[in-house]
Amino acid sequence: MVADNKDFDDELLFAEEDSSAEVQEYPEVSKWKLLIVDDENDVHSTTKLVLSDFIFEGGEIEFISAYSAEEAEAILRENNDIAVILLDVVMETNHAGLELVRKIREEMQNSAVRIILRTGQPGQAPERKVIVEYDINDYKHKAELTAQRLFTAVLAALRSYRDIIVIEKNRAGLKHIIDASRDLFKQQSIRKLAQGVLTQVISLMGLRDSMYMRSDGLAVSSSEDCNKMRIIASTGKYAVCDSYAEDCKVLTPDAMEMFKQVQEIGHGAFVGDSYVGYLPTMQCGTHLLYVEGCGAFRNEQDEDLLRIFSNNVGVAFDNIYLNREILDTQKEIIRMLGEVVENRSKETAYHVVRVSEISRILACAIGLDEACVDEIYYSSPMHDVGKIGIPDSILLKPGSLTEEEFELMKTHAEIGRNILAGSRKSLLKTAAVIAHQHHERWDGKGYPQGLKGEEIDIAGRIVCVADIYDAICSKRVYKEAWSIDKALDHIKENRGTIFDPKLVDAFFENLDEIREVQKRYPD
């Protein structure tokens, strides 16, 4: 953590600095595994003696001995992080070493380990032939392999192995970013996206040791019209924070200072063992990611990967904000059109509000998924949109309708469907279904299609219950409001005739919540 701005500036690693003149950074390794495969004991002891004080990139050599190709194969299958193999050719057979090379490269698919072939019988394995036909990295005659030449060969092999591992980790990191970005772009919830980003960043930092690091972290958003940073996702010790970063008691003043500094410089940065990611959006200010306890695992490649990932995620947030704005606009238009229809028929606009709320309660009660619940909730206000095609003389008639007038009134279901059916938007498609089917009956005696049971879309069945209950409880130009008891009896008596039985059961199981809706939105 940081004590003041100077300490922060000293430690800050800028993600957008020109690194062309910088020395490539590599992770420190405590030990490099070197496998000696030879059937002569003296070769093992001499090799260990010559390389006993060998240090490369801060790591010593861990010697592993195998006295046959078969033993070496078993060791290699149990250790996938062996860096170098010093391999004899002639052991249990004249070509045991060469056969092991093929197994390493082809069966084990290990292309990273560096193989230095050492032979005391070059006639059994001619150098040119072996180099061409076998995927080895060096060929040495034992008689010519001095201590200095062995040192040089191993050093060159370790450098090559190190670079291969770095490339492979970068490849794995990029694959992780591509896979994560694909999954994150599917999200339609800001909170879910933020939680996913936080999880992926922690996972990305853990690629170095092939493990999932248990770091503490949170994601916050900051817009220009609000001085506070709102927490939208959190893990670890920050999971208790669910409002604003400024109000989170677990978050230290140093961390808050880091947030401000990163916003000022305009890109992500590591400070000590923590990382603050900067994710600007075009639609809704800036998003920040804070991951604590990750610095010991990072290198320059990690920073590059995090920058790429952050740029992708910024686009993902923008997409969600844009989609949400479009969806909110659709919802507002649907609600306003629903109110227009109700006002024309001299009915309170709160009818469509109550129908929406009751529909949501029923949809949740029978276990529909969140997306389906939302679609029914936001599209149900359009259930009577077809009434705009019904003449005022019928729509506003204070008494009972004649049979001919009622037949004309029933056409509002078809009219509503025709108005909405042309849209390819999911919300309006659901609204078209509801407008068309909310007068169908469970027993098949409804209109306009005479659908029966589960032939009726669940959205139509739900709105049927909500609409009829609220309509009979409300005063209309052609009738007085029914008492609550009478209305409830009507719902109960028509279980399995007008209404889906499971929805009637759900209605009464959630009656208190439904009654609360009626109290909250009175006529």
Side-chain angles (χ1 to χ4, degrees), residues 440-446 451-456 461 464 494-502:
E440 300 287 358
R441 291 171 47 129
W442 184 256
D443 60 8
K445 297 179 180 179
L451 300 177
K452 182 177 181 179
E454 294 191 357
E455 292 175 354
I456 309 166
R461 283 180 268 154
C464 174
N494 285 282
R495 180 185 185 275
T497 53
I498 298 177
F499 309 117
D500 180 344
K502 71 178 179 183

Side-chain angles (χ1 to χ4, degrees), residues 26-27 34 122 134 152 173 184 196 226 242 245 266 302 369 388 391 436 463 474 501:
Y26 297 99
L34 185 147
Y134 294 87
T152 301
L184 292 172
C226 179
D242 58 0
D302 290 336
D369 63 61
I388 62 175
H436 198 211
V463 175
S474 304

Side-chain angles (χ1 to χ4, degrees), residues 4-130:
D4 54 44
N5 290 351
K6 180 180 183 303
D7 290 339
F8 182 89
D9 292 335
D10 288 342
E11 291 194 65
L12 197 59
L13 299 176
F14 297 111
E16 295 186 3
E17 283 184 340
D18 180 7
S19 59
S20 58
E22 295 178 357
V23 177
Q24 177 68 62
E25 295 181 8
Y26 297 99
E28 287 193 0
V29 177
S30 59
K31 288 188 178 182
W32 302 92
K33 291 184 179 180
L34 185 147
L35 176 61
I36 306 169
V37 186
D38 203 295
D39 56 359
E40 297 180 23
N41 287 323
D42 289 346
V43 172
H44 289 263
S45 57
T46 301
T47 301
K48 293 175 182 178
L49 179 63
V50 170
L51 300 175
S52 60
D53 59 348
F54 188 100
I55 301 290
F56 175 67
E57 299 286 348
E60 301 175 345
I61 288 182
E62 177 184 341
F63 296 101
I64 304 174
S65 290
Y67 294 89
S68 67
E70 183 179 0
E71 184 182 357
E73 180 183 348
I75 292 172
L76 283 161
R77 291 190 185 278
E78 293 178 1
N79 296 267
N80 62 359
D81 58 346
I82 291 175
V84 179
I85 302 174
L86 297 175
L87 179 61
D88 191 12
V89 175
V90 181
M91 290 177 285
E92 59 262 53
T93 67
N94 289 341
H95 298 92
L98 298 178
E99 292 169 2
L100 179 61
V101 171
R102 286 202 188 278
K103 288 183 178 180
I104 293 170
R105 301 304 194 201
E106 296 174 10
E107 290 184 20
M108 301 181 198
Q109 294 291 303
N110 186 341
S111 58
V113 65
R114 304 293 84 192
I115 302 175
I116 301 174
L117 204 64
R118 299 193 299 182
T119 180
Q121 303 178 45
Q124 295 290 337
E127 183 173 349
R128 181 184 291 270
K129 178 179 175 64
V130 169

Side-chain angles (χ1 to χ4, degrees), residues 177-192:
I177 287 175
I178 293 169
D179 291 343
S181 298
R182 177 192 62 207
D183 294 337
L184 292 172
F185 270 81
K186 294 178 182 177
Q187 294 291 350
Q188 294 301 312
S189 161
I190 292 295
R191 184 172 294 275
K192 287 182 179 178

